[in-house]
Amino acid sequence: MEAFCGSPFWDSNLSIHTDNPDLTPCFQNTILAWIPSIYLWSALPFYLFYLKHNKRGYIVLSVLSRFKTLFGVLLWCVSWADLFYSFHELLQNRTPPPVYFITPLIVGITVLLATLLIQYERLRGVQSSGVLIIFWFLSVLCAVGPFRSKIITTTTQDHVNERFRFTTFYIYFALIIVELILSCFKEKPPFFSPVNTDPNPCPELTSGFLSRLTFWWFTSMAILGYKRPLEDKDLWSLNEDDTSKVIVQRLSKEWDKEKEKCKQKEDVTYMKKSNHMLNHVGNGPEEAEVLIRGKKNNRKPSFLKALLRTFGQYFLIGSFFKLIQDLLSFVNPQLLSVLISFIKNKDAPAWWGFLIAALMFVCAVLQTLMLHQHFQYCFVTGMRLRTGITGVIYRKSLVITNSAKRSSTVGEIVNLMSVDAQRFMDLVTFLNMLWSAPLQIFLALYFLWQALGPSVLAGVAVMVLLIPFNAAIAMKTRTFQVEQMRYKDSRIKLMNEILGGIKVLKLYAWEPSFSQKVMEIRKNELRVLKKSAYLNSLSTFAWISAPFLVALTTFSVYVSVNEKNILDAEKAFVSLSLFNILKFPLNMLPQVISNIAQTSVSLKRIQQFLSHDELDPNCVETEMIAPGNAISVTNAMFSWGKELKPSLKDLFPPQYKSVDPQWCFGCHCWPCWLWEVFSGVCSPG
């Protein structure tokens, strides 16, 4: 590396163990100069894929876009000016190190790529680019150290040897600051974007990258709510992707695909089989054609797969933010350990403390930003899930057959759209804890092992003992959930029947008896709910006390095992911070397991309802008929279901051309006669 740079790559006496720290020129010209380039080239394939599949029209070349392009071209010229200056030195028999050729070349190509991306984003309708904002921010951040170093060099030395490179760097630093500032402003809406006629649209879609990252677009609503109570007219309209028109259509399409895959299809394959007829004189190999008929595995369509294909990609973005937040949460305990060590060391430079405090602050800010982005994606996914499930169930209820209505009552359908759909929304908010909680627990135990050694196994034993206990509670809760939903379905079914026949009920004064029936079902439902509440309380108590029990057990074992084990401030505070991180996953994991158990019951209920037979729209033909009878029935057979015996058959054979009016109530119309036949007042023969 010294041959590549012409100077040492790292010097701890220059960079760490000094009151006036500085970085070596080699470190500045390699690591700091290459970090923004590595980021942009790594993100380029994914960003181009995103731009290719998301076109919103193109944005007219504005003044802002022209200035960003101009400064990008200037940055490219400045970067390659250093490259040409290195070739000039080579011609002057002054051989510069290879880093002065490689770094300007890489930086120049990267800056040119960023300039081309500005124009390509404009053609794809991107108003604010988060990728380029991060790139310019990293460029400024990595240039602060070299900028300070060059100022110190200029002030301490009377004569600067590399005056040209110093000048180009100052110009480069000023230009990237200008580019960062310009990138924070958003462009105008795309030229051919659809006109939004909504009088009160949501500003989220048109907000910039920084506004979305900090939720600044919501500030106007918060200020308005502070000034006066909010009204319906103050609320923004839903984004198009959040409307039921779009969500239900997407989910229905995926569910139809899943049903098509699982339909029983008869595969007919022809296989030619050759066999030798050994005992047949004069004949050689004989070909026999065999027809094989087979059915595919009768697999039921999975509603879960349809949900994953519809909402999975959007939810994974929130999972990515959750992963970053989990990793950042373990940085502060390590920085806290370094800070305590710094306080113990009286000879340490003062700037160490300022740097550690600044890093802890930045880490906490990043952790907060990532966590709230994760919750934003999870809440929106939950809202879309509830909307899609409710819409699909409602559409299905309009087309199910009469036999399906016998098994799925109105009360059950109402429960599916209200209670069961809400289960999915409640689960999605903390669904990532299913993998995040084990990850956090594993990392916390790993760092605790580094601090306290094998004593951590005592705390692990406490957690392991709580797992089967919580699993048994979750299984019992699932059983109670099934029983509760059964009682709720019967109660709502009875209430619908009561409300439907309220006139008869009032006429015969049957209110007390029916009220008693409803109360009996309600008492059984409350009994199950009370048992579930007791189990949830027991589970919550066990897991809330888990972090305290784990910490107490670990510290007790650590101190009592060996007299040399001293629980000093560094070990105590760092371990407590790690135990505090353990508290959230340990508390949320049982709740997530319980919610999964409840949601699995709801999923089976919804999937069973959506798998019911539907009315065949091709059974009815719509055509013009001659004036005469409104309804004519010939050789008809009526039944409530395919598997049931027909209630009426051979209705109106050819010999019966008319009906005696004396059989009915004196009305000659066909609809009244059909009603009387079905109700049992008269019969057709």
Side-chain angles (χ1 to χ4, degrees):
M1 203 67 180
E2 187 172 349
F4 180 74
C5 297
S7 61
F9 176 75
W10 182 256
D11 187 357
S12 58
N13 294 324
L14 177 66
S15 304
I16 298 178
H17 304 291
T18 178
D19 293 330
N20 189 16
D22 197 5
L23 296 171
T24 61
C26 183
F27 189 87
Q28 296 176 16
N29 293 327
T30 53
I31 301 299
L32 292 183
W34 295 349
I35 285 177
S37 302
I38 294 173
Y39 157 75
L40 187 60
W41 286 101
S42 300
L44 182 64
F46 305 100
Y47 192 49
L48 289 178
F49 179 81
Y50 168 78
L51 292 177
K52 183 179 179 180
H53 293 82
N54 292 270
K55 185 177 182 180
R56 306 171 185 171
Y58 76 91
I59 300 173
V60 180
L61 189 61
S62 61
V63 178
L64 178 62
S65 180
R66 290 175 181 175
F67 271 109
K68 288 194 290 187
T69 306
L70 174 63
F71 288 123
V73 173
L74 290 177
L75 274 169
W76 173 61
C77 295
V78 169
S79 300
W80 278 24
D82 281 345
L83 178 63
F84 294 141
Y85 182 73
S86 299
F87 283 111
H88 174 71
E89 287 184 325
L90 193 63
L91 295 175
Q92 297 294 327
N93 295 325
R94 291 179 297 171
T95 305
V99 70
Y100 290 109
F101 293 94
I102 302 299
T103 297
L105 179 64
I106 294 175
V107 173
I109 295 175
T110 305
V111 170
L112 183 61
L113 172 65
T115 307
L116 294 176
L117 270 180
I118 293 172
Q119 292 303 314
Y120 186 63
E121 288 174 342
R122 181 182 66 83
L123 296 177
R124 306 300 292 186
V126 178
Q127 295 178 259
S128 179
S129 174
V131 172
L132 288 182
I133 288 178
I134 296 175
F135 169 72
W136 297 122
F137 176 75
L138 286 176
S139 300
V140 172
L141 188 65
C142 293
V144 169
F147 181 73
R148 175 183 175 275
S149 179
K150 285 178 171 53
I151 291 178
I152 293 174
T153 304
T154 306
T155 55
T156 55
Q157 297 180 3
D158 296 334
H159 178 71
V160 179
N161 296 327
E162 298 182 345
R163 184 173 299 176
F164 181 82
R165 288 195 175 91
F166 275 49
T167 304
T168 55
F169 180 81
Y170 292 146
I171 299 173
Y172 168 82
F173 187 72
L175 289 175
I176 59 176
I177 290 178
V178 174
E179 282 282 14
L180 176 61
I181 295 173
L182 292 178
S183 298
C184 295
F185 296 95
K186 66 175 184 177
E187 293 279 358
K188 296 179 181 179
F191 189 65
F192 285 112
S193 60
V195 179
N196 192 356
T197 58
D198 196 337
N200 195 15
C202 181
E204 181 184 4
L205 291 180
T206 57
S207 58
F209 171 75
L210 294 178
S211 179
R212 285 193 178 192
L213 187 64
T214 59
F215 296 97
W216 186 258
W217 56 271
F218 187 75
T219 306
S220 59
M221 179 70 73
I223 294 175
L224 183 62
Y226 172 75
K227 291 180 179 179
R228 61 174 177 81
L230 294 175
E231 301 176 0
D232 292 342
K233 62 181 181 180
D234 299 325
L235 300 179
W236 298 315
S237 302
L238 282 174
N239 295 327
E240 186 179 359
D241 291 339
D242 297 332
T243 57
S244 59
K245 178 180 68 175
V246 176
I247 295 173
V248 176
Q249 184 176 0
R250 288 174 54 200
L251 183 56
S252 299
K253 185 177 179 181
E254 295 296 337
W255 174 241
D256 292 339
K257 289 181 181 179
E258 182 65 21
K259 288 194 295 185
E260 286 294 328
K261 289 181 180 179
C262 297
K263 274 186 177 179
Q264 288 189 2
K265 294 182 179 179
E266 204 174 53
D267 293 339
V268 180
T269 58
Y270 293 92
M271 185 178 67
K272 291 186 176 181
K273 183 179 179 182
S274 298
N275 56 353
H276 291 278
M277 308 295 292
L278 298 177
N279 297 324
H280 197 279
V281 180
N283 288 341
E286 187 176 274
E287 292 185 353
E289 191 176 33
V290 182
L291 177 64
I292 298 177
R293 296 179 180 268
K295 288 187 178 180
K296 289 185 177 179
N297 293 331
N298 188 12
R299 182 177 66 87
K300 293 183 179 180
S302 174
F303 188 60
L304 179 61
K305 291 183 179 180
L307 293 176
L308 292 176
R309 286 197 296 265
T310 307
F311 308 106
Q313 293 181 353
Y314 189 83
F315 181 74
L316 285 178
I317 301 175
S319 303
F320 174 72
F321 285 115
K322 179 61 176 172
L323 176 62
I324 297 177
Q325 189 268 335
D326 289 344
L327 297 178
L328 287 174
S329 63
F330 289 94
V331 175
N332 267 340
Q334 308 307 314
L335 292 176
L336 179 62
S337 176
V338 176
L339 182 62
I340 296 175
S341 301
F342 160 75
I343 295 173
K344 291 180 180 179
N345 187 6
K346 297 181 180 179
D347 299 330
W351 65 270
W352 284 15
F354 291 108
L355 178 61
I356 296 170
L359 290 176
M360 293 179 72
F361 173 75
V362 171
C363 181
V365 171
L366 290 176
Q367 188 177 346
T368 302
L369 291 175
M370 296 298 106
L371 181 63
H372 286 85
Q373 289 295 325
H374 157 252
F375 277 124
Q376 167 73 3
Y377 278 93
C378 288
F379 281 126
V380 172
T381 305
M383 179 192 67
R384 291 179 179 179
L385 261 174
R386 190 177 190 276
T387 303
I389 292 173
T390 304
V392 169
I393 293 173
Y394 176 73
R395 288 188 178 185
K396 183 71 175 183
S397 65
L398 300 177
V399 296
I400 58 175
T401 60
N402 288 328
S403 59
K405 289 180 180 178
R406 293 167 62 90
S407 59
S408 298
T409 61
V410 177
E412 181 181 350
I413 295 173
V414 172
N415 269 341
L416 291 175
M417 289 192 292
S418 58
V419 179
D420 293 294
Q422 184 66 33
R423 300 276 186 207
F424 284 88
M425 185 174 180
D426 297 337
L427 174 66
V428 168
T429 307
F430 297 103
L431 183 60
N432 281 317
M433 292 303 298
L434 199 61
W435 59 266
S436 175
L439 175 65
Q440 293 184 56
I441 293 172
F442 172 77
L443 291 177
L445 292 178
Y446 172 77
F447 289 116
L448 283 170
W449 184 284
Q450 299 291 327
L452 302 176
S455 303
V456 181
L457 296 176
V460 174
V462 174
M463 289 189 293
V464 169
L465 290 176
L466 289 174
I467 290 176
F469 174 75
N470 186 69
I473 292 178
M475 293 175 62
K476 198 65 178 176
T477 304
R478 177 192 172 102
T479 305
F480 288 152
Q481 173 71 15
V482 175
E483 188 177 357
Q484 179 204 347
M485 295 305 295
R486 187 170 64 249
Y487 284 130
K488 185 173 289 188
D489 290 342
S490 59
R491 177 172 56 85
I492 294 180
K493 176 184 176 182
L494 181 59
M495 288 301 301
N496 287 328
E497 292 177 354
I498 291 173
L499 294 175
I502 191 67
K503 290 184 179 180
V504 178
L505 197 128
K506 286 286 186 182
L507 180 63
Y508 291 98
W510 287 343
E511 299 96 322
S513 58
F514 277 92
S515 175
Q516 185 178 0
K517 287 180 175 295
V518 174
M519 290 304 298
E520 287 178 0
I521 299 175
R522 184 60 180 161
K523 285 180 181 178
N524 292 329
E525 191 176 352
L526 287 174
R527 176 175 52 81
V528 176
L529 285 173
K530 189 180 293 185
K531 291 180 181 179
S532 299
Y534 287 149
L535 287 178
N536 288 333
S537 301
L538 188 61
S539 176
T540 304
F541 170 76
W543 286 98
I544 284 179
S545 58
F548 169 75
L549 293 176
V550 170
L552 179 63
T553 307
T554 304
F555 286 151
S556 301
V557 172
Y558 178 74
V559 175
S560 59
V561 164
N562 194 344
E563 295 180 355
K564 296 181 179 179
N565 292 339
I566 300 174
L567 195 64
D568 55 1
E570 181 179 351
K571 292 180 180 179
F573 283 110
V574 172
S575 300
L576 286 176
S577 65
L578 291 171
F579 283 128
N580 286 331
I581 294 175
L582 270 177
K583 183 183 295 185
F584 184 73
L586 288 178
N587 289 340
M588 290 305 303
L589 192 59
Q591 182 179 343
V592 172
I593 295 174
S594 177
N595 287 345
I596 289 176
Q598 296 175 4
T599 308
S600 64
V601 176
S602 299
L603 178 64
K604 289 182 179 179
R605 286 162 50 86
I606 294 173
Q607 185 170 305
Q608 182 180 2
F609 175 75
L610 294 178
S611 300
H612 283 325
D613 294 333
E614 298 182 3
L615 296 172
D616 189 2
N618 298 322
C619 290
V620 179
E621 295 182 1
T622 304
E623 58 183 16
M624 297 298 295
I625 59 175
N629 298 329
I631 299 176
S632 61
V633 181
T634 304
N635 288 333
M637 182 177 66
F638 295 92
S639 173
W640 291 107
K642 293 181 180 179
E643 70 281 358
L644 300 178
K645 294 181 179 180
S647 301
L648 293 173
K649 62 181 179 179
D650 297 333
L651 193 61
F652 277 90
Q655 60 267 28
Y656 295 109
K657 296 295 183 180
S658 62
V659 178
D660 188 355
Q662 299 298 325
W663 290 352
C664 54
F665 294 136
C667 181
H668 293 274
C669 65
W670 298 109
C672 287
W673 186 87
L674 284 174
W675 164 251
E676 290 157 6
V677 170
F678 277 102
S679 60
V681 175
C682 59
S683 60

